[in-house]
Structures are given as C-alpha cells and as structure tokens.
Amino acid sequence: MIGGDAAGMSAASQARRLKGPDELEIVAFERGHFTSFSACGIPYWVGGDVPERDRLIARTPEEHRARDIDLRMRTEVVEIDVGRGRVRARDVDAGAESWTSYDKLVIATGAVPVRPAMPGVDAPGVHGVQTLDDGQELLDSLARTRGRRAVVVGAGYIGVEMAEALINRGYEVTVVNRGREPMSTLDPDMGRLVHEAMEGLGIAMVDDTEVTKLLTGDDGRVRAVATEDAEYPADVVVLGIGVRPETTLAAAAGLPLGAHSGLLTDRAMRVRGHENIWAGGDCVEVLDLVSGQERHIPLGTHANKHGQVIGTNVGGGYATFPGVVGTAVSKVCDLEIARTGLREKDARRVGLQYVTVTIESTSRAGYYPGASPMTVKMLAERRTGRLLGVQIVGREGAGKRVDIAAVALTAGMTVEQMTSLDLGYAPPFSPVWDPVLVAARKASKAVQQQG
C-alpha cells in the first residue's frame, strides 16, 4: 500500500478482515506523521471548532500494526518498478533506501495542493492545507505572526472554509479569487449568494482577479499578495486554489492517466491494463454517472469507498465502485452550500440541452420559529425531464437536503417523478412542500413548456 490515509488504510484494513497474516502479508508506506485522518476536518481544527488535532485521527499507526499491518511511517515510495514488481522506498528522516517486492500493489497517494509557479509562493507564511502536517504548520505560523491580516488565494471549498477558520481566529480576511464568483462548483448566480454572505461576515471579496506574485519583506516572509492592479497586505497567506492528483510516481512508472492527471481504473478499482495494481482515493479519476465522463473529485467519502472495494478485491472477494454524481456540501459560518450533478457549463460541455429553474423557499414551515430562507436551483434535461443537477444555498437545514437530489440522480429519476417523493414533513423540519420538491414541480412545468 502506497499511502496511509483514507483509501490506503481502508483497503489494508478490509483486506486484513478477509485474510489473516498467514495468508496475506500487508506492507503500507506513509511518508507523513499520521494515518487515517480527516483532511476535511482541518479547517475546523484551524478555526477552533475542533479543539485537538488527534480528534481528526480515526486510527493510529499503532492500531493498524495491532491488526498485523506492517505500517512503515515516515517512509516515502520514490519509484515503482512495474516490470519487476517492486517499489523503492526512502526513510524520510535517515535517507536510507530499500526495495520491497509485491504481488499486489495499491496506489493511494492522494492529492497535493496546487501551488502556482509565481514569485514568493514558497516564502515562509504561505501555506497549502491538505494534511495534518500542513494544518500544524499553519497553526504554528499563526502563533508566530504578530499581525492579524490574512489573504486566502482561491474561493473553492478549501478557500471558503479557510476564510471562515481565519475569521473565527480574529483575522482580517481578504479572499482573492480568479473566478467570477466564489465556489466555482456552483453556477455563478448561486455563487453570488455565497459572495454576498461572505461579505456580510466581514470578509473582503476580490473576484475575477488573478494573483501575479507574492511579495516578501526584508526577513523573507510573505508581506502581501499582488495582482496586476493592487496589493493586499498579508501576515499569512493560505492557498485555496484546489488540489491535483499526486500521480508523479504513477506517471513515471508508465501507468495510465486521464485528462485530469488522475489514474484510470476499471470498476474494480484496478489500474487499467495492470492485473495486479489497484488505485483509489484522490489520486484517481472516477466515472460521473450523470455525464458519463471521467472526473477528478477529491473527497474522503469516495476514498473510503474505494478502499473498501480495493481491500475486498485484494483479499480475494469481489466488489465494484459504480461511480459518483458529484455531491458535496460545505459551509461558511451559518451559510450552507450544497451541490450535486451537473452545472450549466457541465451540461453544455457534454452536449446536453436542459432547462433550469430557481426557487426561493424556507427551511421550515414559514410560521414556525427559526424558518430561514433557502435558494434551490435545478437542472433537468430538455424533453426527457431527467434530473441533471441541483444546487442549494441557505441556512440551517439547507445543505443536507441535497441528498434527496443525489439519490434521485443515482436512480436516474425525472423531475416529474421527484414531485411524488414521499418526504418527511413536520413544521419544525420542512414546509408542506419541501424546497427540493417545489423546484422539481417548477422544473417539470418548464420541461413540458419546452416540449
């Protein structure tokens, strides 16, 4: 196993459940200090919602070893020799190298933060956030920094969540985003709602702007983020531009990569064209069940499922991973943001004609205390009425409603079929017509009118 986080150690654990140490020897390499941790929880640890780092660790190296998994920490695999069935690993601290042979190989190398090639990007005070080591380095940097000005570069999930974390820590936060609106995983009209909410929290939003360089002071530490037209003072900079698959090893070994540089696998998570190599987690591309194309979607939910599938197959069983519909939720303070399926530009790219509707509703019955506004956008295929995608922005109770649409997408339902879904209702939880069903009714009418 190359990689000791979600996919790798889930695979190792599942394989061990199926076969004992006398039947299957499992060796896992992890270059960092931690295993089986929640990268998704790092912004909430940095922001103080999660008080201790160790609460993000699901299983320690000692716990894995107690299950007869030979887990080698601080050991980085630097070469895969596919022809001879072996990997070359280096002790990160001592520098010693050695070869280890394999009968079956699992690649779970994850993803790495995008660091654009620009002056100052490697200066002290500039941080990407992907691992617990990254989170600890950021917290240590914040503790050493006297100033209280932070700039977040990028406004995707990581950027938005880190902006909230820094606001919670009392920083003056500016978000510089090259997109038209924050959250490019949403259509711009829905992203605008996120923009307005972030400004309402006191976050300075700079959209449609490209960062050209990071400026440093006499001490070499970052002091500002520069664009073509302005400079934004910064005592700390967080890169929230996104991540890319960590497939350097795989590419060097000649393994197949997709359009997004992720490893390509079959339904069993076996690397295409290689009988005894599997891959899973953030380093692979997955099938989008709505568009029918391969996508790179780095999420812990997928990684753990990949690991279960891989571990079952490596352990002598049979399992497959069918694909995804692209469901994700996030929040910035009390604003909940959710999406599943295709955006408008996704539908256009794959040649689908569609109708789109947007509705305003509330999280509870309007007369019940605490009802809050919610905006739901829905895409349906023209003529067939097949659901293509849903985006939701609102307060308490908004985010998880996207799961209704995720199930409908997976089942291939039409928006007309969705209008008859028997969803739970009581005034503290929903209006009589749930907001998702209101959107489905409106989308069904739009499909009929389009013909």
mmCIF file of all heavy atoms in Angstrom, residues 29 31 73-78 88-98:
data_model
loop_
_atom_site.group_PDB
_atom_site.id
_atom_site.type_symbol
_atom_site.label_atom_id
_atom_site.label_comp_id
_atom_site.label_asym_id
_atom_site.label_seq_id
_atom_site.Cartn_x
_atom_site.Cartn_y
_atom_site.Cartn_z
ATOM 1 N N PHE A 29 3.207 1.973 3.237
ATOM 2 C CA PHE A 29 4.188 3.045 3.338
ATOM 3 C C PHE A 29 3.460 4.388 3.481
ATOM 4 O O PHE A 29 2.553 4.690 2.689
ATOM 5 C CB PHE A 29 5.072 3.105 2.092
ATOM 6 C CG PHE A 29 5.885 1.861 1.854
ATOM 7 C CD1 PHE A 29 5.422 0.858 1.012
ATOM 8 C CD2 PHE A 29 7.115 1.693 2.478
ATOM 9 C CE1 PHE A 29 6.167 -0.283 0.784
ATOM 10 C CE2 PHE A 29 7.868 0.546 2.255
ATOM 11 C CZ PHE A 29 7.395 -0.445 1.405
ATOM 12 N N ARG A 31 4.524 8.539 4.119
ATOM 13 C CA ARG A 31 5.650 9.464 4.264
ATOM 14 C C ARG A 31 5.445 10.489 5.367
ATOM 15 O O ARG A 31 6.383 11.138 5.807
ATOM 16 C CB ARG A 31 5.913 10.175 2.942
ATOM 17 C CG ARG A 31 4.796 11.079 2.476
ATOM 18 C CD ARG A 31 5.107 11.644 1.107
ATOM 19 N NE ARG A 31 4.021 12.470 0.585
ATOM 20 C CZ ARG A 31 3.998 12.974 -0.643
ATOM 21 N NH1 ARG A 31 5.002 12.733 -1.470
ATOM 22 N NH2 ARG A 31 2.989 13.717 -1.052
ATOM 23 N N MET A 73 5.988 4.181 8.824
ATOM 24 C CA MET A 73 5.780 5.628 8.826
ATOM 25 C C MET A 73 7.056 6.366 8.413
ATOM 26 O O MET A 73 8.157 5.831 8.519
ATOM 27 C CB MET A 73 5.346 6.086 10.214
ATOM 28 C CG MET A 73 4.038 5.469 10.697
ATOM 29 S SD MET A 73 2.646 5.894 9.627
ATOM 30 C CE MET A 73 2.535 7.670 9.915
ATOM 31 N N ARG A 74 6.845 7.601 7.966
ATOM 32 C CA ARG A 74 7.955 8.454 7.520
ATOM 33 C C ARG A 74 8.800 7.731 6.475
ATOM 34 O O ARG A 74 10.025 7.856 6.442
ATOM 35 C CB ARG A 74 8.809 8.894 8.704
ATOM 36 C CG ARG A 74 8.062 9.687 9.745
ATOM 37 C CD ARG A 74 7.649 11.040 9.223
ATOM 38 N NE ARG A 74 8.808 11.920 9.059
ATOM 39 C CZ ARG A 74 8.806 13.009 8.288
ATOM 40 N NH1 ARG A 74 7.737 13.324 7.571
ATOM 41 N NH2 ARG A 74 9.883 13.771 8.216
ATOM 42 N N THR A 75 8.126 6.968 5.625
ATOM 43 C CA THR A 75 8.795 6.220 4.560
ATOM 44 C C THR A 75 8.092 6.532 3.252
ATOM 45 O O THR A 75 6.905 6.237 3.099
ATOM 46 C CB THR A 75 8.754 4.707 4.829
ATOM 47 O OG1 THR A 75 9.274 4.451 6.141
ATOM 48 C CG2 THR A 75 9.589 3.965 3.807
ATOM 49 N N GLU A 76 8.828 7.120 2.334
ATOM 50 C CA GLU A 76 8.251 7.580 1.069
ATOM 51 C C GLU A 76 8.664 6.663 -0.074
ATOM 52 O O GLU A 76 9.852 6.407 -0.274
ATOM 53 C CB GLU A 76 8.703 9.001 0.769
ATOM 54 C CG GLU A 76 8.143 9.554 -0.525
ATOM 55 C CD GLU A 76 8.607 10.972 -0.786
ATOM 56 O OE1 GLU A 76 9.547 11.439 -0.120
ATOM 57 O OE2 GLU A 76 8.014 11.621 -1.676
ATOM 58 N N VAL A 77 7.678 6.175 -0.804
ATOM 59 C CA VAL A 77 7.983 5.409 -2.010
ATOM 60 C C VAL A 77 8.397 6.391 -3.100
ATOM 61 O O VAL A 77 7.670 7.344 -3.404
ATOM 62 C CB VAL A 77 6.770 4.572 -2.460
ATOM 63 C CG1 VAL A 77 7.040 3.916 -3.803
ATOM 64 C CG2 VAL A 77 6.443 3.513 -1.407
ATOM 65 N N VAL A 78 9.562 6.161 -3.684
ATOM 66 C CA VAL A 78 10.107 7.090 -4.671
ATOM 67 C C VAL A 78 10.155 6.491 -6.072
ATOM 68 O O VAL A 78 10.443 7.191 -7.041
ATOM 69 C CB VAL A 78 11.510 7.577 -4.259
ATOM 70 C CG1 VAL A 78 11.432 8.418 -2.990
ATOM 71 C CG2 VAL A 78 12.473 6.397 -4.056
ATOM 72 N N ARG A 88 10.646 1.124 -4.579
ATOM 73 C CA ARG A 88 11.819 1.634 -3.857
ATOM 74 C C ARG A 88 11.350 2.693 -2.876
ATOM 75 O O ARG A 88 10.672 3.654 -3.264
ATOM 76 C CB ARG A 88 12.842 2.211 -4.837
ATOM 77 C CG ARG A 88 14.105 2.774 -4.176
ATOM 78 C CD ARG A 88 15.236 2.971 -5.188
ATOM 79 N NE ARG A 88 14.853 3.870 -6.261
ATOM 80 C CZ ARG A 88 15.077 5.189 -6.268
ATOM 81 N NH1 ARG A 88 15.681 5.769 -5.225
ATOM 82 N NH2 ARG A 88 14.711 5.923 -7.299
ATOM 83 N N ALA A 89 11.689 2.516 -1.612
ATOM 84 C CA ALA A 89 11.234 3.428 -0.569
ATOM 85 C C ALA A 89 12.417 4.070 0.141
ATOM 86 O O ALA A 89 13.488 3.456 0.278
ATOM 87 C CB ALA A 89 10.364 2.690 0.437
ATOM 88 N N ARG A 90 12.214 5.308 0.593
ATOM 89 C CA ARG A 90 13.271 6.046 1.292
ATOM 90 C C ARG A 90 12.788 6.457 2.667
ATOM 91 O O ARG A 90 11.674 6.961 2.824
ATOM 92 C CB ARG A 90 13.675 7.276 0.488
ATOM 93 C CG ARG A 90 14.775 8.105 1.160
ATOM 94 C CD ARG A 90 15.202 9.292 0.321
ATOM 95 N NE ARG A 90 14.114 10.247 0.160
ATOM 96 C CZ ARG A 90 13.682 10.715 -1.006
ATOM 97 N NH1 ARG A 90 14.244 10.287 -2.126
ATOM 98 N NH2 ARG A 90 12.713 11.589 -1.050
ATOM 99 N N ASP A 91 13.626 6.242 3.666
ATOM 100 C CA ASP A 91 13.352 6.741 5.015
ATOM 101 C C ASP A 91 13.476 8.261 4.983
ATOM 102 O O ASP A 91 14.553 8.799 4.692
ATOM 103 C CB ASP A 91 14.359 6.129 6.000
ATOM 104 C CG ASP A 91 14.068 6.518 7.436
ATOM 105 O OD1 ASP A 91 13.910 7.721 7.710
ATOM 106 O OD2 ASP A 91 14.012 5.611 8.289
ATOM 107 N N VAL A 92 12.385 8.962 5.242
ATOM 108 C CA VAL A 92 12.363 10.415 5.099
ATOM 109 C C VAL A 92 13.371 11.081 6.020
ATOM 110 O O VAL A 92 14.010 12.079 5.644
ATOM 111 C CB VAL A 92 10.939 10.954 5.374
ATOM 112 C CG1 VAL A 92 10.927 12.477 5.380
ATOM 113 C CG2 VAL A 92 9.960 10.426 4.326
ATOM 114 N N ASP A 93 13.561 10.559 7.213
ATOM 115 C CA ASP A 93 14.445 11.193 8.185
ATOM 116 C C ASP A 93 15.910 10.756 8.037
ATOM 117 O O ASP A 93 16.818 11.584 8.091
ATOM 118 C CB ASP A 93 13.954 10.888 9.602
ATOM 119 C CG ASP A 93 12.552 11.414 9.853
ATOM 120 O OD1 ASP A 93 12.295 12.579 9.475
ATOM 121 O OD2 ASP A 93 11.718 10.669 10.392
ATOM 122 N N ALA A 94 16.134 9.461 7.808
ATOM 123 C CA ALA A 94 17.511 8.946 7.740
ATOM 124 C C ALA A 94 18.070 8.934 6.327
ATOM 125 O O ALA A 94 19.284 8.938 6.138
ATOM 126 C CB ALA A 94 17.569 7.533 8.334
ATOM 127 N N GLY A 95 17.194 8.890 5.318
ATOM 128 C CA GLY A 95 17.648 8.905 3.935
ATOM 129 C C GLY A 95 17.966 7.542 3.352
ATOM 130 O O GLY A 95 18.254 7.438 2.150
ATOM 131 N N ALA A 96 17.943 6.486 4.148
ATOM 132 C CA ALA A 96 18.253 5.143 3.652
ATOM 133 C C ALA A 96 17.162 4.664 2.704
ATOM 134 O O ALA A 96 15.981 4.958 2.890
ATOM 135 C CB ALA A 96 18.388 4.176 4.821
ATOM 136 N N GLU A 97 17.552 3.914 1.667
ATOM 137 C CA GLU A 97 16.613 3.413 0.674
ATOM 138 C C GLU A 97 16.675 1.890 0.594
ATOM 139 O O GLU A 97 17.712 1.286 0.862
ATOM 140 C CB GLU A 97 16.909 4.010 -0.707
ATOM 141 C CG GLU A 97 16.685 5.504 -0.791
ATOM 142 C CD GLU A 97 16.800 6.028 -2.209
ATOM 143 O OE1 GLU A 97 17.175 5.247 -3.106
ATOM 144 O OE2 GLU A 97 16.495 7.217 -2.425
ATOM 145 N N SER A 98 15.530 1.301 0.212
ATOM 146 C CA SER A 98 15.481 -0.147 0.050
ATOM 147 C C SER A 98 14.352 -0.509 -0.903
ATOM 148 O O SER A 98 13.415 0.279 -1.115
ATOM 149 C CB SER A 98 15.258 -0.837 1.405
ATOM 150 O OG SER A 98 14.005 -0.442 1.961
#
